[in-house]
Amino acid sequence: MNCKNPIILKAEIDIPQYISDIIMTLINNGHEAYIVGGAVRDSLIGRVPIDWDISSSAPPEAIRKIFGDAVIPSGERFGTLTVLSKKQP
């Protein structure tokens, strides 16, 4: 592998509106937010993702403050929280 000439892959990912809303809420509150994990993999190989992971610069306390009762502490000791959306199908 020649690291001096990296291969850059550009792909369009069809992001559901409820995921875009969560990402934009994080961004509008001053945080970075990125789609990561299996949703990216599935999209690249032509599958429809069944769940979406978002990595953010927001610490867990900020996520709780921003999303309130929609937050489930699914793996808080690892910095992982689940945000439920009323718009999720």
Side-chain angles (χ1 to χ4, degrees):
M1 176 189 288
N2 183 350
C3 293
K4 293 181 182 179
N5 297 310
I7 297 171
I8 298 174
L9 175 66
K10 294 183 180 182
E12 295 281 329
I13 295 178
D14 188 20
I15 302 169
Q17 187 61 50
Y18 73 97
I19 296 298
S20 293
D21 292 345
I22 292 170
I23 290 171
M24 290 311 301
T25 299
L26 289 163
I27 290 170
N28 290 337
N29 279 275
H31 302 285
E32 295 179 9
Y34 304 93
I35 295 173
V36 297
V40 174
R41 177 203 59 228
D42 290 349
S43 295
L44 291 174
I45 62 174
R47 292 184 186 159
V48 176
I50 58 171
D51 70 331
W52 294 82
D53 297 320
I54 300 170
S55 179
S56 174
S57 62
E61 303 79 37
I63 299 290
R64 279 198 282 313
K65 183 178 178 184
I66 294 166
F67 295 102
D69 292 338
V71 176
I72 298 172
S74 53
E76 195 164 5
R77 68 182 182 154
F78 303 109
T80 301
L81 300 172
T82 298
V83 176
L84 299 177
S85 172
K86 293 180 182 175
K87 298 177 185 176
Q88 181 178 355

